[in-house]
Amino acid sequence: MPAHRPIYLDCHATTPLDPRVLDAMLPYFTEQFGNPASVTHQYGWEAEAAVQQARSIIASAIQAKPNEILFTSGATEANNLAIKGVAEAYFAKGRHLITVATEHSAVLDPCRYLESLGFEITILPVQPDGLIDLDQLTQAIRPDTVLVSVMAANNEIGVIQPLAAIGQICRSAGVLFHTDAAQAIGKIPLDVEAMQIDLMSLTAHKLYGPKGIGALYLRRRNPRVQLAAQLHGGSQERSLRAGTLYPPQIVGFAKAVELALASLETEAVQTAALRDGLWQQLQVLEGIHLNGHLSQRLPGNLNISLAGVSGQALLLGLQPVVAVSSGSACSSAQTQPSHVLTALGRSPELAYASIRFGIGRFNTATQLEQVAAAVLETVQALRLADLAPAG
Ligand SMILES: *Cc1c(COP(=O)(O)O)cnc(C)c1O
């Protein structure tokens, strides 16, 4: 990597591919190119064996069974399949779904789409720390509620929702529980049995795997979840997700999960130490706010807002040194403050002036020191420029 490239601290957007993952994938681009659905020859059998092994690895990482894993193109597709597929399959039972204001747009947009078709959606607010109120969830469940969708860990503020408690509430009310675990898999322990999760969306590229591959966990017993396919055209994945499977990506996904699980605790300690060090150094800044719960968050996440500083100017100033994002979906044409930060009750000003740091496996203490120094310097320069007489 050329030395002049900025330090990468945007691991909630995507992560670099681990070289060990690439090594595992390579044979499936070349000699082992078979279609797993080809049952009449060795090329197909080899590909099918690789896919089955990957399925087992991913299933056991969340205490599921291999036949409960459906491969998709990523978490966006898995969320769409879970939400629309359950809504359609349980249409006769009820047409009410519950989700949360801080969800990823890949959950909120399918819900809004269902609303346009006549479904009713309750969007729960969050507390100032980003956690949902469990009593509010309990009260929101109605006789016609079919699904509760609450993300495992937030992609902007890293806040981890109380999954086991949510699962308990849903199970005792007879309502299905879906969780978008795109940010959580490989970062925190996940257990679909202990947490009573019925559907879970996963993706590979947030845990050092390849882009374009993910999965939906679909519970097959106690209860057996019904799902309506959203993609038709073949009998792959028990006809719930048609389309030729992609063995290189699937093998890479499984390798990434295996590696992340093997070093889950040591990596959590390592990234949390880097994150805490950064936070400690930045705390000297006047008007700094931490967004999201202090400890109930992903180890590599830090999200801050700075009063009286233009978020855009700050990001621009930091660009040569560090690759971060504001965590808000902004483009120069239509700038909207982050829906996650406004859901926490942050003012639009503070929501605009935010930075999301996503620290990962390959970051070092030296890099974090450089970043801290650059942030301190840039903020001070911007504030001095503001004090200078205009003109
Ligand atoms: C990245 C992300 C997604 C989208 O996943 P893709 O695999 O890129 O489609 C969905 N939800 C959350 C929480 C994410 O962080």
Side-chain angles (χ1 to χ4, degrees):
M1 217 183 269
H4 65 268
R5 294 188 86 202
I7 295 162
Y8 191 80
L9 284 191
D10 202 11
C11 285
H12 302 298
T14 196
T15 51
L17 192 78
D18 191 298
R20 296 168 290 180
V21 171
L22 180 63
D23 284 343
M25 291 169 71
L26 284 174
Y28 296 93
F29 285 110
T30 53
E31 307 92 68
Q32 285 166 270
F33 61 85
N35 184 334
S38 297
V39 296
T40 53
H41 53 69
Q42 190 180 347
Y43 297 84
W45 304 332
E46 285 169 0
E48 172 64 8
V51 166
Q52 286 315 328
Q53 197 195 348
R55 216 186 280 282
S56 300
I57 291 169
I58 294 162
S60 65
I62 58 169
Q63 309 307 316
K65 300 279 180 296
N67 68 359
E68 295 177 314
I69 301 296
L70 304 174
F71 288 110
T72 66
S73 61
T76 300
E77 190 192 332
N79 286 339
N80 271 269
L81 179 56
I83 293 166
K84 295 180 199 167
V86 163
E88 195 181 323
Y90 290 84
F91 189 71
K93 180 185 180 240
R95 293 160 206 184
H96 177 239
L97 292 85
I98 299 171
T99 188
V100 182
T102 49
E103 292 292 312
H104 192 276
S105 53
V107 164
L108 291 174
D109 285 354
C111 286
R112 288 188 191 112
Y113 170 73
L114 288 174
E115 203 167 29
S116 78
L117 297 181
F119 288 84
E120 281 184 76
I121 313 293
T122 296
I123 298 183
L124 294 174
V126 292
Q127 304 172 91
D129 59 10
L131 291 168
I132 66 164
D133 179 334
L134 294 171
D135 290 333
Q136 265 179 338
L137 170 63
T138 307
Q139 281 155 22
I141 296 176
R142 319 190 309 208
D144 62 341
T145 306
V146 291
L147 184 73
V148 168
S149 182
V150 180
M151 72 199 320
N154 187 272
N155 50 297
E156 291 190 29
I157 53 177
V159 167
I160 299 164
Q161 297 292 351
L163 296 178
I166 298 168
Q168 173 75 48
I169 290 168
C170 293
R171 187 63 57 85
S172 59
V175 174
L176 296 176
F177 174 30
H178 165 251
T179 188
D180 175 352
Q183 296 286 345
I185 175 89
K187 315 282 169 56
I188 58 169
L190 293 171
D191 182 331
V192 296
E193 288 308 324
M195 294 169 168
Q196 305 189 72
I197 294 164
D198 300 309
L199 303 104
M200 183 192 284
S201 301
L202 303 173
T203 192
H205 75 100
K206 310 274 173 78
L207 81 156
Y208 317 95
K211 294 168 190 58
I213 187 73
L216 178 65
Y217 157 73
L218 179 70
R219 178 175 288 281
R220 297 260 276 164
R221 43 180 199 100
N222 307 322
R224 182 185 177 90
V225 180
Q226 306 297 314
L227 194 74
Q230 302 298 305
L231 204 53
H232 307 92
S235 59
Q236 293 90 354
E237 305 302 81
R238 303 200 321 278
S239 295
L240 289 171
R241 201 282 187 176
T244 301
L245 290 171
Y246 192 5
Q249 304 302 91
I250 291 169
V251 167
F253 182 12
K255 187 69 186 177
V257 167
E258 191 178 275
L259 292 171
L261 265 281
S263 61
L264 192 136
E265 272 169 49
T266 50
E267 219 169 282
V269 169
Q270 180 191 319
T271 49
L274 295 176
R275 187 266 317 273
D276 294 343
L278 179 64
W279 173 229
Q280 209 152 31
Q281 293 198 64
L282 297 186
Q283 270 183 67
V284 300
L285 286 168
E286 226 174 281
I288 192 166
H289 299 266
L290 177 72
N291 295 316
H293 195 282
L294 182 64
S295 57
Q296 243 339 81
R297 69 196 296 144
L298 291 173
N301 177 276
L302 182 67
N303 189 312
I304 56 160
S305 285
L306 283 154
V309 173
S310 151
Q312 246 175 351
L314 184 56
L315 280 182
L316 210 66
L318 290 175
Q319 250 167 35
V321 183
V322 55
V324 284
S325 88
S326 70
S328 67
C330 50
S331 70
S332 46
Q334 44 153 27
T335 316
Q336 294 252 317
S338 149
H339 73 280
V340 173
L341 298 185
T342 50
L344 303 184
R346 288 285 184 232
S347 64
E349 291 71 31
L350 277 181
Y352 277 124
S354 65
I355 312 181
R356 173 186 69 177
F357 298 95
I359 300 158
R361 181 179 291 168
F362 301 112
N363 291 121
T364 64
T366 312
Q367 287 182 330
L368 269 291
E369 269 157 38
Q370 287 169 4
V371 170
V375 175
L376 294 176
E377 216 173 282
T378 309
V379 171
Q380 272 148 17
L382 286 173
R383 283 186 171 154
L384 279 177
D386 260 3
L387 289 177

